[in-house]
Amino acid sequence: MEIIKLAHRWVRDVLFDGALAIDATVGNGHDTLFLARCVGPAGTVLGFEVQEAALSIARRHAEEACLGGRIRFYLESHAGLADRWQQDFPGQTPQAVLFNLGYLPGGDKQVTTRLESTLTALEASIALLAPGGLISVVLYPGHEEGARETEAVLAWAKALAGPWEVTLCQPLNRSPRAPRLLVVERPR
Ligand SMILES: C[S@@+](CC[C@H](N)C(=O)[O-])C[C@H]1O[C@@H](n2cnc3c(N)ncnc32)[C@H](O)[C@@H]1O
């Protein structure tokens, strides 16, 4: 199964009507729209993206799907996630945070997620996450920055102490450079 589909399965399982969710890497908005459907009309999705062109496509997709009212898009790095949340959703908790790392397929490969900002956003997500919620991270070790990022994110996840349940899904009969899925769950 495509790794992003597997990520969606995990995430769908913890979302409900009225939930809050975060898409840390909006791109063209396919994952954002998926989250918006899962949280229903009473829910809200926050979406972060650093490329204006990608964000306009995502906005258009959201409007076409009549889901724009459930989504707040931010043309900002996910490194600012904690501050943004504090400002716009104080006292509330997200049920799911989705990271689909790397660069936009068919886009500029230089505009890729970087381990420093990714780790900052992961730390913020851990601090905010609701009990029973999860963080899903699709990792792409097949390119240079993606390999560095994968190594750093997995080291971060392995070191998580406390109640966190950490799972890595990796295809065994494919290249070790194939995409992987990391899931960090916060038990109830
Ligand atoms: C694999 S793509 C995401 C695909 C997307 N979720 C979709 O459904 O189309 C990764 C995206 O992360 C974005 N990105 C890179 N650095 C970022 C950052 N610091 N904060 C937010 N987004 C970032 C890239 O511009 C790119 O669009």
Side-chain angles (χ1 to χ4, degrees):
M1 179 191 294
E2 217 187 317
I3 212 87
I4 189 65
K5 296 233 169 74
L6 191 57
H8 286 188
R9 280 195 182 185
W10 279 80
V11 170
R12 188 184 293 118
D13 211 38
V14 300
L15 288 178
F16 49 81
D17 198 12
L20 293 169
I22 299 174
D23 185 352
T25 51
V26 167
N28 289 338
H30 303 293
D31 298 319
T32 321
L33 264 58
F34 159 76
L35 292 172
R37 290 192 176 93
C38 292
V39 299
T44 303
V45 179
L46 275 74
F48 292 86
E49 172 57 53
V50 290
Q51 296 192 68
E52 195 164 4
L55 207 63
S56 334
I57 294 171
R59 277 188 211 281
R60 180 163 50 77
H61 286 158
E63 292 310 322
E64 285 167 2
C66 299
L67 292 169
R70 303 180 193 180
I71 305 169
R72 289 206 203 170
F73 288 110
Y74 299 100
L75 182 59
E76 289 172 19
S77 169
H78 47 223
L81 195 158
D83 289 344
R84 176 53 72 185
W85 190 271
Q86 184 60 30
Q87 197 176 314
D88 292 1
F89 295 90
Q92 299 185 69
T93 51
Q95 200 65 27
V97 188
L98 196 146
F99 292 79
N100 189 354
L101 297 177
Y103 50 80
L104 199 56
D108 181 353
K109 293 186 179 174
Q110 296 309 312
V111 189
T112 186
T113 53
R114 310 263 161 197
L115 73 89
E116 295 78 8
S117 46
T118 299
L119 290 175
T120 302
L122 283 169
E123 281 294 346
S125 304
I126 285 282
L128 292 171
L129 197 69
L134 67 76
I135 301 168
S136 154
V137 190
V138 177
L139 298 153
Y140 296 90
H143 63 107
E144 200 177 326
E145 179 58 23
R148 274 186 353 112
E149 189 176 41
T150 300
E151 197 181 329
V153 168
L154 293 183
W156 168 84
K158 271 187 202 164
L160 280 175
W164 305 103
E165 287 173 11
V166 183
T167 306
L168 179 66
C169 305
Q170 176 175 12
L172 282 180
N173 60 344
R174 297 280 182 276
S175 157
R177 290 158 58 88
R180 303 172 194 181
L181 171 65
L182 171 73
V183 180
V184 178
E185 294 172 275
R186 179 174 178 188
R188 279 179 198 288

mmCIF file with all atom_site columns, all heavy atoms in Angstrom, residues 16-39:
data_model
loop_
_atom_site.group_PDB
_atom_site.id
_atom_site.type_symbol
_atom_site.label_atom_id
_atom_site.label_alt_id
_atom_site.label_comp_id
_atom_site.label_asym_id
_atom_site.label_entity_id
_atom_site.label_seq_id
_atom_site.pdbx_PDB_ins_code
_atom_site.Cartn_x
_atom_site.Cartn_y
_atom_site.Cartn_z
_atom_site.occupancy
_atom_site.B_iso_or_equiv
_atom_site.pdbx_formal_charge
_atom_site.auth_seq_id
_atom_site.auth_comp_id
_atom_site.auth_asym_id
_atom_site.auth_atom_id
_atom_site.pdbx_PDB_model_num
ATOM 1   N N   . PHE A 1 16 ? -12.541 12.781 14.584 1.00 0.00 ? 16 PHE A N   1
ATOM 2   C CA  . PHE A 1 16 ? -13.995 12.698 14.753 1.00 0.00 ? 16 PHE A CA  1
ATOM 3   C C   . PHE A 1 16 ? -14.577 14.053 14.383 1.00 0.00 ? 16 PHE A C   1
ATOM 4   O O   . PHE A 1 16 ? -13.839 15.041 14.227 1.00 0.00 ? 16 PHE A O   1
ATOM 5   C CB  . PHE A 1 16 ? -14.339 12.320 16.206 1.00 0.00 ? 16 PHE A CB  1
ATOM 6   C CG  . PHE A 1 16 ? -13.622 13.161 17.222 1.00 0.00 ? 16 PHE A CG  1
ATOM 7   C CD1 . PHE A 1 16 ? -14.080 14.427 17.567 1.00 0.00 ? 16 PHE A CD1 1
ATOM 8   C CD2 . PHE A 1 16 ? -12.447 12.701 17.819 1.00 0.00 ? 16 PHE A CD2 1
ATOM 9   C CE1 . PHE A 1 16 ? -13.405 15.212 18.484 1.00 0.00 ? 16 PHE A CE1 1
ATOM 10  C CE2 . PHE A 1 16 ? -11.759 13.491 18.747 1.00 0.00 ? 16 PHE A CE2 1
ATOM 11  C CZ  . PHE A 1 16 ? -12.246 14.746 19.079 1.00 0.00 ? 16 PHE A CZ  1
ATOM 12  N N   . ASP A 1 17 ? -15.878 14.106 14.256 1.00 0.00 ? 17 ASP A N   1
ATOM 13  C CA  . ASP A 1 17 ? -16.553 15.351 13.900 1.00 0.00 ? 17 ASP A CA  1
ATOM 14  C C   . ASP A 1 17 ? -16.280 16.407 14.974 1.00 0.00 ? 17 ASP A C   1
ATOM 15  O O   . ASP A 1 17 ? -16.487 16.136 16.160 1.00 0.00 ? 17 ASP A O   1
ATOM 16  C CB  . ASP A 1 17 ? -18.058 15.080 13.765 1.00 0.00 ? 17 ASP A CB  1
ATOM 17  C CG  . ASP A 1 17 ? -18.746 16.189 12.991 1.00 0.00 ? 17 ASP A CG  1
ATOM 18  O OD1 . ASP A 1 17 ? -18.035 17.012 12.388 1.00 0.00 ? 17 ASP A OD1 1
ATOM 19  O OD2 . ASP A 1 17 ? -19.984 16.234 13.014 1.00 0.00 ? 17 ASP A OD2 1
ATOM 20  N N   . GLY A 1 18 ? -15.786 17.532 14.566 1.00 0.00 ? 18 GLY A N   1
ATOM 21  C CA  . GLY A 1 18 ? -15.506 18.605 15.507 1.00 0.00 ? 18 GLY A CA  1
ATOM 22  C C   . GLY A 1 18 ? -14.064 18.649 15.984 1.00 0.00 ? 18 GLY A C   1
ATOM 23  O O   . GLY A 1 18 ? -13.701 19.542 16.746 1.00 0.00 ? 18 GLY A O   1
ATOM 24  N N   . ALA A 1 19 ? -13.237 17.683 15.548 1.00 0.00 ? 19 ALA A N   1
ATOM 25  C CA  . ALA A 1 19 ? -11.838 17.644 16.013 1.00 0.00 ? 19 ALA A CA  1
ATOM 26  C C   . ALA A 1 19 ? -11.013 18.753 15.360 1.00 0.00 ? 19 ALA A C   1
ATOM 27  O O   . ALA A 1 19 ? -11.402 19.341 14.342 1.00 0.00 ? 19 ALA A O   1
ATOM 28  C CB  . ALA A 1 19 ? -11.219 16.281 15.682 1.00 0.00 ? 19 ALA A CB  1
ATOM 29  N N   . LEU A 1 20 ? -9.847  19.025 15.985 1.00 0.00 ? 20 LEU A N   1
ATOM 30  C CA  . LEU A 1 20 ? -8.858  19.936 15.409 1.00 0.00 ? 20 LEU A CA  1
ATOM 31  C C   . LEU A 1 20 ? -7.705  19.097 14.879 1.00 0.00 ? 20 LEU A C   1
ATOM 32  O O   . LEU A 1 20 ? -7.279  18.132 15.538 1.00 0.00 ? 20 LEU A O   1
ATOM 33  C CB  . LEU A 1 20 ? -8.317  20.879 16.481 1.00 0.00 ? 20 LEU A CB  1
ATOM 34  C CG  . LEU A 1 20 ? -9.301  21.902 17.061 1.00 0.00 ? 20 LEU A CG  1
ATOM 35  C CD1 . LEU A 1 20 ? -8.686  22.571 18.284 1.00 0.00 ? 20 LEU A CD1 1
ATOM 36  C CD2 . LEU A 1 20 ? -9.635  22.947 16.005 1.00 0.00 ? 20 LEU A CD2 1
ATOM 37  N N   . ALA A 1 21 ? -7.209  19.441 13.701 1.00 0.00 ? 21 ALA A N   1
ATOM 38  C CA  . ALA A 1 21 ? -6.084  18.700 13.122 1.00 0.00 ? 21 ALA A CA  1
ATOM 39  C C   . ALA A 1 21 ? -5.143  19.690 12.457 1.00 0.00 ? 21 ALA A C   1
ATOM 40  O O   . ALA A 1 21 ? -5.532  20.803 12.096 1.00 0.00 ? 21 ALA A O   1
ATOM 41  C CB  . ALA A 1 21 ? -6.591  17.686 12.106 1.00 0.00 ? 21 ALA A CB  1
ATOM 42  N N   . ILE A 1 22 ? -3.897  19.266 12.297 1.00 0.00 ? 22 ILE A N   1
ATOM 43  C CA  . ILE A 1 22 ? -2.882  20.130 11.679 1.00 0.00 ? 22 ILE A CA  1
ATOM 44  C C   . ILE A 1 22 ? -2.245  19.393 10.507 1.00 0.00 ? 22 ILE A C   1
ATOM 45  O O   . ILE A 1 22 ? -1.833  18.238 10.642 1.00 0.00 ? 22 ILE A O   1
ATOM 46  C CB  . ILE A 1 22 ? -1.779  20.500 12.701 1.00 0.00 ? 22 ILE A CB  1
ATOM 47  C CG1 . ILE A 1 22 ? -2.380  21.268 13.883 1.00 0.00 ? 22 ILE A CG1 1
ATOM 48  C CG2 . ILE A 1 22 ? -0.683  21.319 12.030 1.00 0.00 ? 22 ILE A CG2 1
ATOM 49  C CD1 . ILE A 1 22 ? -1.394  21.549 15.010 1.00 0.00 ? 22 ILE A CD1 1
ATOM 50  N N   . ASP A 1 23 ? -2.167  20.079 9.372  1.00 0.00 ? 23 ASP A N   1
ATOM 51  C CA  . ASP A 1 23 ? -1.348  19.590 8.264  1.00 0.00 ? 23 ASP A CA  1
ATOM 52  C C   . ASP A 1 23 ? -0.098  20.461 8.244  1.00 0.00 ? 23 ASP A C   1
ATOM 53  O O   . ASP A 1 23 ? -0.161  21.646 7.888  1.00 0.00 ? 23 ASP A O   1
ATOM 54  C CB  . ASP A 1 23 ? -2.108  19.702 6.931  1.00 0.00 ? 23 ASP A CB  1
ATOM 55  C CG  . ASP A 1 23 ? -1.318  19.072 5.791  1.00 0.00 ? 23 ASP A CG  1
ATOM 56  O OD1 . ASP A 1 23 ? -0.142  18.709 6.023  1.00 0.00 ? 23 ASP A OD1 1
ATOM 57  O OD2 . ASP A 1 23 ? -1.858  18.945 4.685  1.00 0.00 ? 23 ASP A OD2 1
ATOM 58  N N   . ALA A 1 24 ? 1.045   19.871 8.629  1.00 0.00 ? 24 ALA A N   1
ATOM 59  C CA  . ALA A 1 24 ? 2.284   20.651 8.772  1.00 0.00 ? 24 ALA A CA  1
ATOM 60  C C   . ALA A 1 24 ? 2.955   20.923 7.432  1.00 0.00 ? 24 ALA A C   1
ATOM 61  O O   . ALA A 1 24 ? 3.879   21.744 7.365  1.00 0.00 ? 24 ALA A O   1
ATOM 62  C CB  . ALA A 1 24 ? 3.246   19.912 9.705  1.00 0.00 ? 24 ALA A CB  1
ATOM 63  N N   . THR A 1 25 ? 2.520   20.254 6.369  1.00 0.00 ? 25 THR A N   1
ATOM 64  C CA  . THR A 1 25 ? 3.145   20.418 5.040  1.00 0.00 ? 25 THR A CA  1
ATOM 65  C C   . THR A 1 25 ? 2.035   20.333 3.980  1.00 0.00 ? 25 THR A C   1
ATOM 66  O O   . THR A 1 25 ? 1.810   19.280 3.376  1.00 0.00 ? 25 THR A O   1
ATOM 67  C CB  . THR A 1 25 ? 4.183   19.295 4.795  1.00 0.00 ? 25 THR A CB  1
ATOM 68  O OG1 . THR A 1 25 ? 3.566   18.020 5.059  1.00 0.00 ? 25 THR A OG1 1
ATOM 69  C CG2 . THR A 1 25 ? 5.420   19.433 5.655  1.00 0.00 ? 25 THR A CG2 1
ATOM 70  N N   . VAL A 1 26 ? 1.388   21.450 3.725  1.00 0.00 ? 26 VAL A N   1
ATOM 71  C CA  . VAL A 1 26 ? 0.175   21.452 2.888  1.00 0.00 ? 26 VAL A CA  1
ATOM 72  C C   . VAL A 1 26 ? 0.434   21.057 1.434  1.00 0.00 ? 26 VAL A C   1
ATOM 73  O O   . VAL A 1 26 ? -0.345  20.306 0.839  1.00 0.00 ? 26 VAL A O   1
ATOM 74  C CB  . VAL A 1 26 ? -0.503  22.848 2.950  1.00 0.00 ? 26 VAL A CB  1
ATOM 75  C CG1 . VAL A 1 26 ? -1.556  22.994 1.869  1.00 0.00 ? 26 VAL A CG1 1
ATOM 76  C CG2 . VAL A 1 26 ? -1.113  23.056 4.321  1.00 0.00 ? 26 VAL A CG2 1
ATOM 77  N N   . GLY A 1 27 ? 1.509   21.580 0.835  1.00 0.00 ? 27 GLY A N   1
ATOM 78  C CA  . GLY A 1 27 ? 1.745   21.332 -0.597 1.00 0.00 ? 27 GLY A CA  1
ATOM 79  C C   . GLY A 1 27 ? 0.529   21.727 -1.406 1.00 0.00 ? 27 GLY A C   1
ATOM 80  O O   . GLY A 1 27 ? -0.022  22.819 -1.236 1.00 0.00 ? 27 GLY A O   1
ATOM 81  N N   . ASN A 1 28 ? 0.068   20.857 -2.268 1.00 0.00 ? 28 ASN A N   1
ATOM 82  C CA  . ASN A 1 28 ? -1.112  21.159 -3.085 1.00 0.00 ? 28 ASN A CA  1
ATOM 83  C C   . ASN A 1 28 ? -2.428  20.861 -2.376 1.00 0.00 ? 28 ASN A C   1
ATOM 84  O O   . ASN A 1 28 ? -3.503  20.991 -2.962 1.00 0.00 ? 28 ASN A O   1
ATOM 85  C CB  . ASN A 1 28 ? -1.057  20.384 -4.406 1.00 0.00 ? 28 ASN A CB  1
ATOM 86  C CG  . ASN A 1 28 ? 0.019   20.941 -5.323 1.00 0.00 ? 28 ASN A CG  1
ATOM 87  O OD1 . ASN A 1 28 ? 0.422   22.083 -5.179 1.00 0.00 ? 28 ASN A OD1 1
ATOM 88  N ND2 . ASN A 1 28 ? 0.503   20.131 -6.255 1.00 0.00 ? 28 ASN A ND2 1
ATOM 89  N N   . GLY A 1 29 ? -2.347  20.389 -1.131 1.00 0.00 ? 29 GLY A N   1
ATOM 90  C CA  . GLY A 1 29 ? -3.535  20.306 -0.295 1.00 0.00 ? 29 GLY A CA  1
ATOM 91  C C   . GLY A 1 29 ? -4.280  18.975 -0.270 1.00 0.00 ? 29 GLY A C   1
ATOM 92  O O   . GLY A 1 29 ? -5.345  18.887 0.335  1.00 0.00 ? 29 GLY A O   1
ATOM 93  N N   . HIS A 1 30 ? -3.698  17.944 -0.862 1.00 0.00 ? 30 HIS A N   1
ATOM 94  C CA  . HIS A 1 30 ? -4.426  16.659 -0.873 1.00 0.00 ? 30 HIS A CA  1
ATOM 95  C C   . HIS A 1 30 ? -4.623  16.132 0.555  1.00 0.00 ? 30 HIS A C   1
ATOM 96  O O   . HIS A 1 30 ? -5.716  15.682 0.914  1.00 0.00 ? 30 HIS A O   1
ATOM 97  C CB  . HIS A 1 30 ? -3.684  15.624 -1.729 1.00 0.00 ? 30 HIS A CB  1
ATOM 98  C CG  . HIS A 1 30 ? -3.476  16.091 -3.128 1.00 0.00 ? 30 HIS A CG  1
ATOM 99  N ND1 . HIS A 1 30 ? -4.520  16.274 -4.006 1.00 0.00 ? 30 HIS A ND1 1
ATOM 100 C CD2 . HIS A 1 30 ? -2.373  16.465 -3.800 1.00 0.00 ? 30 HIS A CD2 1
ATOM 101 C CE1 . HIS A 1 30 ? -4.056  16.730 -5.153 1.00 0.00 ? 30 HIS A CE1 1
ATOM 102 N NE2 . HIS A 1 30 ? -2.756  16.857 -5.056 1.00 0.00 ? 30 HIS A NE2 1
ATOM 103 N N   . ASP A 1 31 ? -3.559  16.216 1.351  1.00 0.00 ? 31 ASP A N   1
ATOM 104 C CA  . ASP A 1 31 ? -3.674  15.734 2.738  1.00 0.00 ? 31 ASP A CA  1
ATOM 105 C C   . ASP A 1 31 ? -4.561  16.666 3.575  1.00 0.00 ? 31 ASP A C   1
ATOM 106 O O   . ASP A 1 31 ? -5.300  16.210 4.448  1.00 0.00 ? 31 ASP A O   1
ATOM 107 C CB  . ASP A 1 31 ? -2.279  15.647 3.391  1.00 0.00 ? 31 ASP A CB  1
ATOM 108 C CG  . ASP A 1 31 ? -1.373  14.664 2.673  1.00 0.00 ? 31 ASP A CG  1
ATOM 109 O OD1 . ASP A 1 31 ? -1.860  13.590 2.277  1.00 0.00 ? 31 ASP A OD1 1
ATOM 110 O OD2 . ASP A 1 31 ? -0.183  14.977 2.495  1.00 0.00 ? 31 ASP A OD2 1
ATOM 111 N N   . THR A 1 32 ? -4.499  17.962 3.279  1.00 0.00 ? 32 THR A N   1
ATOM 112 C CA  . THR A 1 32 ? -5.335  18.928 4.030  1.00 0.00 ? 32 THR A CA  1
ATOM 113 C C   . THR A 1 32 ? -6.813  18.627 3.797  1.00 0.00 ? 32 THR A C   1
ATOM 114 O O   . THR A 1 32 ? -7.619  18.646 4.730  1.00 0.00 ? 32 THR A O   1
ATOM 115 C CB  . THR A 1 32 ? -5.036  20.371 3.562  1.00 0.00 ? 32 THR A CB  1
ATOM 116 O OG1 . THR A 1 32 ? -3.648  20.511 3.315  1.00 0.00 ? 32 THR A OG1 1
ATOM 117 C CG2 . THR A 1 32 ? -5.491  21.380 4.582  1.00 0.00 ? 32 THR A CG2 1
ATOM 118 N N   . LEU A 1 33 ? -7.153  18.350 2.545  1.00 0.00 ? 33 LEU A N   1
ATOM 119 C CA  . LEU A 1 33 ? -8.562  18.057 2.226  1.00 0.00 ? 33 LEU A CA  1
ATOM 120 C C   . LEU A 1 33 ? -9.000  16.752 2.898  1.00 0.00 ? 33 LEU A C   1
ATOM 121 O O   . LEU A 1 33 ? -10.136 16.646 3.386  1.00 0.00 ? 33 LEU A O   1
ATOM 122 C CB  . LEU A 1 33 ? -8.762  17.956 0.706  1.00 0.00 ? 33 LEU A CB  1
ATOM 123 C CG  . LEU A 1 33 ? -9.259  19.243 0.045  1.00 0.00 ? 33 LEU A CG  1
ATOM 124 C CD1 . LEU A 1 33 ? -8.324  20.420 0.271  1.00 0.00 ? 33 LEU A CD1 1
ATOM 125 C CD2 . LEU A 1 33 ? -9.508  19.042 -1.432 1.00 0.00 ? 33 LEU A CD2 1
ATOM 126 N N   . PHE A 1 34 ? -8.089  15.797 2.909  1.00 0.00 ? 34 PHE A N   1
ATOM 127 C CA  . PHE A 1 34 ? -8.390  14.540 3.601  1.00 0.00 ? 34 PHE A CA  1
ATOM 128 C C   . PHE A 1 34 ? -8.715  14.818 5.077  1.00 0.00 ? 34 PHE A C   1
ATOM 129 O O   . PHE A 1 34 ? -9.727  14.341 5.616  1.00 0.00 ? 34 PHE A O   1
ATOM 130 C CB  . PHE A 1 34 ? -7.197  13.578 3.468  1.00 0.00 ? 34 PHE A CB  1
ATOM 131 C CG  . PHE A 1 34 ? -7.176  12.517 4.514  1.00 0.00 ? 34 PHE A CG  1
ATOM 132 C CD1 . PHE A 1 34 ? -8.040  11.426 4.433  1.00 0.00 ? 34 PHE A CD1 1
ATOM 133 C CD2 . PHE A 1 34 ? -6.349  12.624 5.626  1.00 0.00 ? 34 PHE A CD2 1
ATOM 134 C CE1 . PHE A 1 34 ? -8.061  10.462 5.436  1.00 0.00 ? 34 PHE A CE1 1
ATOM 135 C CE2 . PHE A 1 34 ? -6.358  11.671 6.626  1.00 0.00 ? 34 PHE A CE2 1
ATOM 136 C CZ  . PHE A 1 34 ? -7.215  10.583 6.527  1.00 0.00 ? 34 PHE A CZ  1
ATOM 137 N N   . LEU A 1 35 ? -7.877  15.641 5.726  1.00 0.00 ? 35 LEU A N   1
ATOM 138 C CA  . LEU A 1 35 ? -8.110  15.963 7.142  1.00 0.00 ? 35 LEU A CA  1
ATOM 139 C C   . LEU A 1 35 ? -9.429  16.719 7.312  1.00 0.00 ? 35 LEU A C   1
ATOM 140 O O   . LEU A 1 35 ? -10.194 16.451 8.242  1.00 0.00 ? 35 LEU A O   1
ATOM 141 C CB  . LEU A 1 35 ? -6.954  16.811 7.696  1.00 0.00 ? 35 LEU A CB  1
ATOM 142 C CG  . LEU A 1 35 ? -5.601  16.114 7.824  1.00 0.00 ? 35 LEU A CG  1
ATOM 143 C CD1 . LEU A 1 35 ? -4.514  17.124 8.201  1.00 0.00 ? 35 LEU A CD1 1
ATOM 144 C CD2 . LEU A 1 35 ? -5.643  15.002 8.860  1.00 0.00 ? 35 LEU A CD2 1
ATOM 145 N N   . ALA A 1 36 ? -9.701  17.644 6.398  1.00 0.00 ? 36 ALA A N   1
ATOM 146 C CA  . ALA A 1 36 ? -10.929 18.453 6.499  1.00 0.00 ? 36 ALA A CA  1
ATOM 147 C C   . ALA A 1 36 ? -12.166 17.551 6.406  1.00 0.00 ? 36 ALA A C   1
ATOM 148 O O   . ALA A 1 36 ? -13.166 17.798 7.089  1.00 0.00 ? 36 ALA A O   1
ATOM 149 C CB  . ALA A 1 36 ? -10.941 19.503 5.395  1.00 0.00 ? 36 ALA A CB  1
ATOM 150 N N   . ARG A 1 37 ? -12.095 16.533 5.589  1.00 0.00 ? 37 ARG A N   1
ATOM 151 C CA  . ARG A 1 37 ? -13.247 15.593 5.506  1.00 0.00 ? 37 ARG A CA  1
ATOM 152 C C   . ARG A 1 37 ? -13.379 14.835 6.817  1.00 0.00 ? 37 ARG A C   1
ATOM 153 O O   . ARG A 1 37 ? -14.487 14.592 7.305  1.00 0.00 ? 37 ARG A O   1
ATOM 154 C CB  . ARG A 1 37 ? -13.061 14.619 4.345  1.00 0.00 ? 37 ARG A CB  1
ATOM 155 C CG  . ARG A 1 37 ? -13.186 15.301 3.001  1.00 0.00 ? 37 ARG A CG  1
ATOM 156 C CD  . ARG A 1 37 ? -13.297 14.325 1.831  1.00 0.00 ? 37 ARG A CD  1
ATOM 157 N NE  . ARG A 1 37 ? -13.510 15.057 0.602  1.00 0.00 ? 37 ARG A NE  1
ATOM 158 C CZ  . ARG A 1 37 ? -12.540 15.449 -0.231 1.00 0.00 ? 37 ARG A CZ  1
ATOM 159 N NH1 . ARG A 1 37 ? -11.288 15.093 -0.001 1.00 0.00 ? 37 ARG A NH1 1
ATOM 160 N NH2 . ARG A 1 37 ? -12.816 16.156 -1.300 1.00 0.00 ? 37 ARG A NH2 1
ATOM 161 N N   . CYS A 1 38 ? -12.257 14.436 7.402  1.00 0.00 ? 38 CYS A N   1
ATOM 162 C CA  . CYS A 1 38 ? -12.298 13.631 8.642  1.00 0.00 ? 38 CYS A CA  1
ATOM 163 C C   . CYS A 1 38 ? -12.836 14.428 9.832  1.00 0.00 ? 38 CYS A C   1
ATOM 164 O O   . CYS A 1 38 ? -13.447 13.843 10.718 1.00 0.00 ? 38 CYS A O   1
ATOM 165 C CB  . CYS A 1 38 ? -10.904 13.122 9.006  1.00 0.00 ? 38 CYS A CB  1
ATOM 166 S SG  . CYS A 1 38 ? -10.241 11.899 7.884  1.00 0.00 ? 38 CYS A SG  1
ATOM 167 N N   . VAL A 1 39 ? -12.556 15.741 9.884  1.00 0.00 ? 39 VAL A N   1
ATOM 168 C CA  . VAL A 1 39 ? -12.993 16.507 11.066 1.00 0.00 ? 39 VAL A CA  1
ATOM 169 C C   . VAL A 1 39 ? -14.427 17.013 10.930 1.00 0.00 ? 39 VAL A C   1
ATOM 170 O O   . VAL A 1 39 ? -14.976 17.569 11.893 1.00 0.00 ? 39 VAL A O   1
ATOM 171 C CB  . VAL A 1 39 ? -12.044 17.691 11.398 1.00 0.00 ? 39 VAL A CB  1
ATOM 172 C CG1 . VAL A 1 39 ? -10.644 17.185 11.701 1.00 0.00 ? 39 VAL A CG1 1
ATOM 173 C CG2 . VAL A 1 39 ? -12.019 18.728 10.278 1.00 0.00 ? 39 VAL A CG2 1
#
